[in-house]
Amino acid sequence: MKINIACPSTGMQKVIETDDEKKLQNLYDRRMGQEIEGGILGEEYDGSIMRISGGNDKQGFPMRQGVLTNTRVRLLCKKGHKAYRQRRAGERKRKSVRGCVVGHDIAVLNLVLAQPGEKEIPGLTDDQVPRRLGPKRANNIRKLFNLSKDDDVRKYVIHRTFTNKKGVSVRKAPKIQRLVTPLTLQRKRARRAEKMNSVLRNKEEAAAYKKVVAQRMSEQKEARRSLISKRRSTRKSTKMSVDPPAKS
């Protein structure tokens, strides 16, 4: 089994391969998210605490948190589920995933160093790997440089310089996300005003429609009344013309 150990604080990663069943026996039946003692893997990891973050079996199917089994299962996935991207609206599909319990069929197990021990672990905590890219979100840039809300975040974006395939030196920077500028505030006010205008316009149109409906109803009633009165007068005149005059 390959064991991939990552240290988030230093940005380093280490892969060890072991077939020692005595070591692996301590990992079996553990679940994703559980913490284990580093001494299980060897003396150099004594005192450290590691967390199981995932893995995959010999056929490459990834472990899924929440599937409480040490075998492979077929889940009915829909939009929003992990390891699935829907191709059509409302589409659902069965996908094979590996349970979150460590078993004999696991080929690669991923561990995260949650708490390092007293000793330095070679290849994991003895060096520091600088981050290749800086933060992209506006609040994360503020947090990194300890900026206030009044400071302009655009001046503190981390650029990187590299040589492209044509041999030209290029300076590149990320587009800042969630950056609040006067233009975004103006657009927000415009959207809000448009929404309010739409509500008022709908109310006015509904009132005008009700007024027209009431007018049409009154016209229909008036027309019906005049028709009934005409019929009555016609009947009366017909009756009077048909009836013979009374003899004196």
Side-chain angles (χ1 to χ4, degrees), residues 145-237:
F145 293 103
N146 198 18
L147 304 176
S148 65
K149 288 188 176 180
D150 301 325
D151 294 322
D152 190 3
V153 179
R154 289 170 288 190
K155 296 178 181 176
Y156 294 88
V157 180
I158 296 173
H159 295 74
R160 65 188 181 96
T161 306
F162 65 97
T163 306
N164 62 10
K165 292 179 180 178
K166 295 179 181 178
V168 181
S169 183
V170 181
R171 193 163 179 263
K172 204 170 186 182
K175 181 186 175 185
I176 303 172
Q177 302 295 315
R178 304 188 190 180
L179 180 64
V180 180
T181 60
L183 184 61
T184 57
L185 294 175
Q186 179 185 338
R187 286 173 180 162
K188 188 177 181 181
R189 286 194 299 270
R191 282 197 304 270
R192 197 173 290 173
E194 179 60 32
K195 194 178 282 187
M196 288 301 297
N197 292 338
S198 175
V199 170
L200 295 173
R201 190 166 57 248
N202 289 342
K203 283 184 179 178
E204 289 172 4
E205 288 175 358
Y209 176 73
K210 284 181 181 177
K211 190 176 179 181
V212 170
V213 168
Q215 186 180 348
R216 297 278 166 82
M217 291 292 287
S218 63
E219 287 174 0
Q220 285 178 3
K221 285 180 182 177
E222 190 62 37
R224 186 166 176 74
R225 281 200 204 100
S226 63
L227 182 64
I228 290 170
S229 63
K230 277 181 185 178
R231 282 178 183 170
R232 282 175 182 168
S233 62
T234 307
R235 282 175 191 166
K236 267 186 186 177
S237 61

Side-chain angles (χ1 to χ4, degrees), residues 27-60:
L27 295 171
Y28 294 151
D29 298 328
R30 301 288 185 104
R31 294 197 326 211
M32 280 176 63
Q34 279 189 343
E35 291 185 344
I36 60 170
E37 292 181 5
I40 292 171
L41 303 175
E43 293 180 0
E44 58 180 324
Y45 304 102
D46 277 341
S48 60
I49 295 174
M50 299 180 185
R51 186 178 70 253
I52 300 172
S53 62
N56 53 270
D57 62 10
K58 290 174 183 175
Q59 285 74 36

Side-chain angles (χ1 to χ4, degrees), residues 88-100:
R88 299 176 65 183
E91 183 187 51
R92 298 190 300 169
K93 194 173 182 182
R94 286 207 179 273
K95 299 283 283 185
S96 291
V97 295
R98 177 60 171 68
C100 68

